Amino acid sequence: MIKGILFDKDGTLIDFSETFGPATAAVIRTLANGDMAIANRMASAVDFDLDEQTFANTSIIIAGTCADQAEVWGKIINRPDSEVLAGELDTLFARYATEFVTPFQETELVLDHLLGLGLLIGLGTNDSEIGARNQIEKMRFQSKFGFIAGYDSGHGAKPGPGMINAFAAHCRAAPGEIIMVGDSLHDMHAGRAAGALCVAVTTGMADGSTLAPHADHVLAGISGLPALIASITRN
């Protein structure tokens, strides 16, 4: 029996490129303080094209945390206080990603359908919790989520299993009664580590051939979830 679904956010419920492309460009320009040479170095260090506002698949922005980014950018902008810088990045990304947040067209309809089935819905992201909550509120989805966790919520970051285990406890369910839905290897590894059912979607930066060996199911997007869940519950 499936009791709950824990969603990744970026690339799964929202369009990562449309949201974090302009947000990352704004964060870089803010920290570079108008120095385009520094801005370009910062962009290159995280495999980001500042002019096109696009990411290479290797970018740490895709699945990393602000702590990861602070380690990289701190060396370029002479900010060795990585913990303080990470906090500043949390604030900047929370501001700009909320400004540019773009849900996929099907997101609200799918969430409402799943809630109508009596399933519990959660969000587990390597973004900060405040950033996630701000974006969920901007999209007016806050009533749909009974559980929201970021990398700083006390459960650890993905690919660790902490968020899935915490969500399972919230649902009063075993991890095997939870579906982890995400677009990255971090999501799949987190789900595997917890013992959840892993469903990958190819709406993010990773393709199906990359995700398939680590997932129980691969979908083109979350619109395929209702049919998949119907199939699982029939079996």
Side-chain angles (χ1 to χ4, degrees), residues 4-6 120-122 147 162-171 178:
I5 303 179
L6 184 66
L120 297 174
I121 302 298
F147 175 94
M163 293 182 194
I164 296 94
N165 288 330
F167 179 61
H170 168 79
C171 297
I178 300 299

Side-chain angles (χ1 to χ4, degrees), residues 25 67 76 79 97 135 174:
I76 297 172
R79 291 281 301 274
Q135 290 166 50

Side-chain angles (χ1 to χ4, degrees), residues 18-39:
E18 292 295 322
T19 300
F20 278 88
T24 300
V27 170
I28 287 174
R29 290 191 173 105
T30 298
L31 290 175
N33 198 28
D35 189 323
M36 288 310 298
I38 290 178

Side-chain angles (χ1 to χ4, degrees), residues 51-65:
D51 293 327
E52 298 296 326
Q53 298 185 0
T54 56
F55 301 87
N57 290 342
T58 52
S59 176
I60 65 169
I61 304 292
I62 296 170
T65 69

Side-chain angles (χ1 to χ4, degrees), residues 90-214:
D90 277 337
T91 300
L92 289 171
F93 272 109
R95 170 187 171 188
Y96 290 120
T98 300
E99 179 179 344
F100 295 110
V101 66
T102 305
F104 289 118
Q105 186 174 3
E106 66 270 23
T107 296
E108 184 169 19
L109 183 64
V110 171
L111 293 177
D112 286 343
H113 180 90
L114 297 175
L115 289 168
L117 296 176
L119 295 167
L120 297 174
I121 302 298
L123 185 73
T125 175
N126 274 355
D127 193 0
S128 67
E129 181 177 333
I130 186 63
R133 289 188 180 278
N134 286 349
Q135 290 166 50
I136 291 298
E137 185 174 350
K138 175 74 177 291
M139 295 183 289
R140 299 183 179 179
F141 290 171
Q142 60 266 39
S143 65
K144 305 180 192 303
F145 291 90
F147 175 94
I148 296 176
Y151 81 94
D152 53 356
S153 299
H155 312 302
K158 296 175 288 186
M163 293 182 194
I164 296 94
N165 288 330
F167 179 61
H170 168 79
C171 297
R172 297 183 180 179
E177 296 172 313
I178 300 299
I179 298 178
M180 175 70 223
V181 183
D183 69 307
S184 75
L185 289 178
H186 273 17
D187 299 318
M188 298 302 99
H189 292 162
R192 279 279 188 265
L197 188 71
C198 297
V199 176
V201 292
T202 58
T203 44
M205 301 297 290
D207 60 26
S209 62
T210 299
L211 295 166
H214 308 275

